[in-house]
Amino acid sequence: MTMYDVIVPVNLLFASQPRLAASRRSCTDSGTMSTFPIPIVVLTAMEAVDCIFQGRGNVASYHQDCVASGLCQPDISETDFLLNFRRRIRGLRWNPFCHRPIISDLQNDCLIVQDGIELCCLSKALGKSWVKVSMPEDVHARWLARSTDDLDNAVVRFSRKSFYNPVEHPAYRKAKIGRPDSIRLDRIRKLLGPIGPGLCGLDIGCNMGYTSHHLQRQGFRMTGIDYDENHLAVARALTTTYGLDVRFENCYFRQFQTDKPFDVVVALTVLYHMFYRQEEQDIPECSRMDKGAVMKKLDALTRHALLWESGPDPGREIDFIRSNSGLTDYYSLGPTQGTGKKRELGVFLRPDSSLNDYLKKRHAAHFAGR
Ligand SMILES: C[S@@+](CC[C@H](N)C(=O)[O-])C[C@H]1O[C@@H](n2cnc3c(N)ncnc32)[C@H](O)[C@@H]1O
């Protein structure tokens, strides 16, 4: 079989593993989840690689997975497994001739890694955004068929010189990006784990749709809203490039109408604009909605979780959200860096939500004490 070497975004690398699919079914009640691929940052292999690089956590889950799938001897102790694993990772890191990860499929715009998961996780841990992989001819043809025509037109139409977030396409690999890293996405994925299929999400102030697109890749039915048509033109064009079907609506949050709440609401560096900045700037379309009314609407729209990134004063926003909504449980996902500014990423949960226990456990496993 002819294989092609291609450079691809690390954030499009997913795995489809039957054992992981089985464990996913136990996370929620939905039986439809097993066909959906899992982003590599959610894999136990990533936990194990992080354990080596950051000295936190352990390799126990990956050890169990490797034993269960026959990738290592059933009687190997965790200590020996860790020693071998560390040696293997060191070898991969320093051997420029090691085999490239092999991609077996392009599913729902996710590159399915068939072989070389550890190298993919290593690339992620080393902070790489792109990695060289090998793919067979049919996958390669589908990969190349992701056209950027609509995006190219939007860029020309709006004289766009840069993007807020990365574009997951080789033609825009060198584009100027406001927030080039994917720290927020990685943390959100680690918190959510393999859930997505059967759930819906709303991304407020979605800009070019970066988070919406990524959450839809892992199975969420996503809606993104933003008042800026320039940003939404990019979001829509990228939806075509990626072959996804996120619904984007050009409106202010105040104007957004829906007849049902969303399982997960995403509001990254946008509530601060709505609560404080837009009042101060007296934007006509927003001035009629004070922050109490914004919060009431947000509360009604959020069924389980509000994923949030702050403005310059996280404490002020946290207090306001907790005391003006049913989203009273707050868990920090750590500090972040906006476009040169310090921010905080976190999640607000409802104490009575059916996802509360699941998300709290994932938070304890991946974020507590960090
Ligand atoms: C700082 S950017 C953050 C973009 C994205 N949420 C992220 O963090 O990657 C804020 C975005 O929110 C949008 N926005 C601000 N106020 C809004 C409002 N009241 N309704 C809808 N979108 C809004 C802006 O157009 C902009 O795209």
Side-chain angles (χ1 to χ4, degrees), residues 187-188 191 265 267-268 306-310 318 330-334 336 344-348 363:
R187 292 186 193 162
I188 288 172
L191 176 80
V265 172
L268 305 180
L306 171 66
L307 290 157
W308 158 89
E309 188 181 34
S310 73
I318 293 169
Y330 175 71
Y331 297 90
S332 172
L333 302 179
T336 52
E344 171 157 332
L345 187 70
V347 62
F348 293 88
H363 183 271

Side-chain angles (χ1 to χ4, degrees), residues 7 12 26 45 58 62 75 82 92 98 107 113 135 138 147 160 199 207 226 231 247 254 310 314 319 349 352 355:
I7 187 149
L12 292 194
S26 64
N58 58 58
Y62 189 46
D75 51 357
L82 176 60
L92 288 174
C98 63
Q107 249 179 48
V113 183
M135 48 177 79
D138 61 320
S147 154
R160 184 174 273 275
L199 300 177
N207 200 278
D226 203 295
H231 297 324
R247 191 171 75 86
R254 185 184 72 76
S310 73
D319 288 348
L349 302 175
D352 53 350
L355 275 186

